[in-house]
């Protein structure tokens, strides 16, 4: 449903955006999807069966924190984890997108962190409740500037690394994804209709661990870019 803005009974919320690297342009974010369990070594460290297909969950688009930002340490947790991920931003969508056509939907790529209140996620998982409280909290989706596919192509391999206070914690390669980017887009489009502005965090390599207030997080995906955020005190 659409309506004339003058009919809103409150001011419409701001449109979440991602920067486009090297420009003053921004990419408007519609929805933020995440892939669960997409790197074998991370599945093993979480104690799960590697033969299970990946699945999807979502975060609110307004959980995005830009490059250089500060993430307030969230409430309710004593175990917030980092998960560095390749982010895919869509310029078009559809339902039941064939794998062979999926790359045509991509505007560009960025580096993100799927911040996770691991203690709450696992507590929810263990009693078969939804993951939202563990995954979809405020400031839970730092994401750096996008690089257009028109400029960098479609990276299928390349180092993906996350450091905390200068020390390497996660160090993988995009070629370790169980489901590659076209397969992820195709699968997700069977479940929901994708549309321009949707972004997808494509799963994390092994090495996830806790972070605390004061930590400086540096991420890089080879050929895509960097993302730096600081963990701040609780609000
Ligand atoms: Mn993740």
């Amino acid at each position: 449903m659409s309506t004339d803005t003058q009919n809103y009974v409150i001011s419409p919320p701001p449109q979440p955006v991602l920067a486009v690297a090297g420009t003053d342009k921004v990419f408007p974010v519609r929805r933020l999807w995440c892939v669960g369990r997409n790197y074998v070594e991370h599945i093993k460290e979480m104690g799960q069966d590697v033969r299970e297909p990946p699945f999807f969950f979502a975060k609110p688009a307004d959980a995005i924190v830009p490059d250089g930002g500060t993430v307030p340490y969230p409430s309710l947790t004593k175990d917030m984890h980092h998960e560095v991920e390749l982010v895919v931003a869509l310029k078009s969508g559809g339902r039941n997108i064939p794998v062979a056509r999926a790359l045509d939907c991509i505007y560009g790529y960025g580096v993100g962190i799927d911040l996770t209140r691991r203690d709450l996620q696992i507590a929810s998982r263990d009693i078969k409740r939804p993951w939202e409280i563990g995954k979809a909290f405020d400031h839970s989706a730092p994401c750096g500037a996008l690089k257009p596919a028109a400029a960098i192509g479609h990276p299928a391999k390349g180092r993906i690394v996350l450091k905390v206070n200068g020390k390497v914690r996660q160090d993988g390669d995009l070629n370790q994804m169980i489901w590659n980017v076209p397969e992820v887009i195709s699968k997700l489009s069977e479940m929901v209709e994708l549309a321009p502005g949707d972004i997808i965090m494509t799963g994390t390599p092994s090495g996830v661990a806790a972070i605390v207030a004061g930590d400086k997080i540096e991420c890089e995906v080879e050929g895509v870019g960097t993302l730096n955020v600081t963990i701040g005190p609780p609000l």
Side-chain angles (χ1 to χ4, degrees):
M1 175 185 142
S2 65
T3 187
D4 195 301
T5 54
Q6 69 190 4
N7 293 334
Y8 287 132
V9 296
I10 60 168
S11 298
Q15 168 66 57
V17 297
L18 293 174
V20 176
T23 77
D24 60 358
K25 306 287 191 190
V26 293
F27 177 95
V29 178
R30 176 176 179 253
R31 295 192 291 191
L32 198 181
W33 290 97
C34 301
V35 184
R37 297 173 199 158
N38 203 22
Y39 288 74
V40 170
E41 292 304 316
H42 174 60
I43 296 172
K44 288 181 184 165
E45 76 180 348
M46 294 300 292
Q48 302 296 313
D49 186 336
V50 299
R51 290 166 299 177
E52 275 192 23
F55 54 91
F56 297 87
F57 58 93
K59 292 176 185 257
D62 68 1
I64 289 169
V65 175
D67 185 32
T70 296
V71 174
Y73 195 87
S75 61
L76 302 178
T77 185
K78 294 184 169 56
D79 196 26
M80 179 167 71
H81 279 203
H82 53 74
E83 297 189 359
V84 63
E85 313 206 355
L86 175 71
V87 176
V88 178
L90 301 188
K91 66 180 181 185
S92 63
R95 295 187 195 89
N96 301 312
I97 299 166
V99 170
R101 301 294 308 274
L103 291 179
D104 297 342
C105 298
I106 296 174
Y107 169 75
Y109 296 88
V111 185
I113 311 173
D114 167 18
L115 289 172
T116 303
R117 294 194 282 206
R118 189 74 72 205
D119 42 0
L120 303 186
Q121 179 205 14
I122 289 174
S124 302
R125 184 185 80 188
D126 288 350
I127 57 172
K128 296 183 166 25
R129 284 187 183 165
W131 283 10
E132 268 84 355
I133 296 307
K135 286 288 194 181
F137 54 95
D138 299 337
H139 313 285
S140 62
C143 191
L146 298 176
K147 293 251 180 84
I152 65 166
H154 295 283
K157 59 184 170 64
R159 191 181 182 203
I160 176 169
V161 61
L162 179 144
K163 298 177 189 173
V164 179
N165 303 323
K167 191 173 173 205
V168 173
R169 290 266 191 93
Q170 292 187 266
D171 192 357
D173 194 291
L174 299 178
N175 68 12
Q176 296 164 339
M177 284 187 195
I178 297 168
W179 295 68
N180 64 27
V181 168
E183 290 168 336
V184 163
I185 291 169
S186 180
K187 267 281 174 214
L188 183 55
S189 76
E190 295 173 3
M191 302 175 190
V192 294
E193 181 177 4
L194 294 172
D198 287 343
I199 67 172
I200 306 168
M201 289 190 168
T202 55
T204 198
S206 62
V208 301
I211 40 182
V212 299
D215 282 345
K216 297 208 177 305
I217 319 296
E218 300 167 72
C219 308
E220 182 168 10
V221 176
E222 185 181 353
V224 174
T226 60
L227 168 66
N228 297 296
V229 294
T230 301
I231 309 302
L235 292 176

